[in-house]
């Protein structure tokens, strides 16, 4: 009897039979290859999804950081603008205070100058009045010692000097009558007053 049979070589003469014999192996090989392909595609899709998620996450994070940076910059710019406006307001207020102080100082100086000018004008008038009074006293004292002819001559000379100081082109005196009397003696005080007034008006201009 035979215990062991060893087959070293098999020759299949039918091509269809050979194909049928290879079908199961081919199908298993194809299925294994397809499973491997599907597994690789699934892994690639998962990796792609993971990369997309990471990319989206990074993009969102970058966008968030960009928005935060833009907000910080806008806040800094707004703060700087507020500081600038506050500084401009401070400068405007300081200028306004300076202008007001300057106007007050000018007004005080002008008032002091006006007061000084008024006081000086009063002093000048007082000195002039004192001087006129002194001249009048001396003239009265001199006239008291003069003869009537000399007095008339002096009166005529004084009238001539007064008329010269008055800006008149011509003077025609027909008659001179005053409550104090007639003649040059009563005319002189009025002429002297006119002359003094004209001199004061010329000095004020």
């Amino acid at each position: 009897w035979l215990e062991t049979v060893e087959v070293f070589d098999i020759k299949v003469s039918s091509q269809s039979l050979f194909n049928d014999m290879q079908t199961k192996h081919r199908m298993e090989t194809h299925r294994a290859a397809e499973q491997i392909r599907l597994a690789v595609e699934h892994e690639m899709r998962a990796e792609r999804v993971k990369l997309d998620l990471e990319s989206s996450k990074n993009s969102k994070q970058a966008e968030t950081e960009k928005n935060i940076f833009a907000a910080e910059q806008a806040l800094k710019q707004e703060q700087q603008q507020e500081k600038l406006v506050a500084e401009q307001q401070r400068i405007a207020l300081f200028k306004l205070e300076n202008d007001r102080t300057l106007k007050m100082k000018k007004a005080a100086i002008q008032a002091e100058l006006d007061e000084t000018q008024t006081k000086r004008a009063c002093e000048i008038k007082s000195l002039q009045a004192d001087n006129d009074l002194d001249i009048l006293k001396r003239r009265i004292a001199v006239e008291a010692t003069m003869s009537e002819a000399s007095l008339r001559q002096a009166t005529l000379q004084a009238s001539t000097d007064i008329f010269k100081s008055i800006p008149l082109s011509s003077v025609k005196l027909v008659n001179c009558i005053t409550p104090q009397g007639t003649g040059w003696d009563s005319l002189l005080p009025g002429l002297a007053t006119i002359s003094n007034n004209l001199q004061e008006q010329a000095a004020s201009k």
Side-chain angles (χ1 to χ4, degrees):
W1 61 88
L2 296 175
E3 294 182 356
T4 303
V5 177
E6 295 182 4
V7 179
F8 294 98
D9 190 12
I10 298 175
K11 183 177 180 181
V12 180
S13 300
S14 176
Q15 183 65 37
S16 60
L17 178 60
F18 179 77
N19 291 334
D20 292 338
M21 292 174 64
Q22 295 294 322
T23 298
K24 182 179 180 180
H25 177 69
R26 288 177 179 175
M27 293 295 294
E28 291 178 352
T29 303
H30 178 72
R31 184 175 60 182
E34 188 68 17
Q35 289 177 349
I36 293 172
R37 185 181 65 79
L38 292 175
V40 171
E41 288 182 356
H42 178 72
E43 185 177 355
M44 290 179 65
R45 282 198 299 271
E47 187 68 22
R48 188 177 297 111
V49 170
K50 182 179 179 181
L51 292 175
D52 290 341
L53 289 175
E54 290 180 356
S55 177
S56 177
K57 182 179 179 181
N58 292 333
S59 298
K60 289 182 179 180
Q61 185 176 0
E63 185 69 20
T64 302
E65 292 177 355
K66 181 179 178 181
N67 293 334
I68 292 174
F69 179 76
E72 290 177 350
Q73 293 300 316
L75 180 60
K76 289 181 180 179
Q77 186 175 3
E78 185 177 356
Q79 291 175 348
Q80 291 177 355
Q81 185 67 23
E82 290 177 355
K83 290 181 180 179
L84 179 61
V85 172
E87 183 66 17
Q88 289 177 347
Q89 292 177 351
R90 187 187 67 81
I91 293 174
L93 182 60
F94 180 75
K95 184 178 180 181
L96 182 62
E97 291 291 337
N98 282 346
D99 291 342
R100 185 171 62 181
T101 303
L102 183 60
K103 288 181 180 178
M104 292 177 63
K105 288 183 178 180
K106 285 183 178 180
I109 293 173
Q110 185 63 38
E112 185 178 356
L113 181 60
D114 293 341
E115 183 180 359
T116 302
Q117 290 178 349
T118 302
K119 185 177 180 181
R120 184 174 299 173
C122 292
E123 291 176 353
I124 292 174
K125 287 183 179 180
S126 179
L127 291 175
Q128 186 174 359
D130 293 341
N131 187 38
D132 292 342
L133 181 60
D134 184 60
I135 292 174
L136 180 60
K137 288 180 179 180
R138 284 185 291 174
R139 189 182 69 181
I140 291 173
V142 171
E143 289 177 354
T145 61
M146 293 174 64
S147 63
E148 184 176 355
S150 299
L151 181 60
R152 289 184 177 276
Q153 181 65 30
T155 303
L156 180 61
Q157 183 63 40
S159 300
T160 303
D161 295 338
I162 291 175
F163 276 119
K164 287 181 180 180
S165 65
I166 299 176
L168 299 175
S169 59
S170 63
V171 176
K172 182 178 182 181
L173 183 62
V174 177
N175 193 8
C176 180
I177 300 174
T178 65
Q180 288 77 18
T182 61
W184 292 104
D185 295 340
S186 59
L187 182 63
L188 284 176
L191 293 175
T193 302
I194 294 173
S195 177
N196 291 334
N197 290 335
L198 291 173
Q199 290 176 0
E200 290 178 359
Q201 291 178 1
S204 64
K205 292 180 180 180

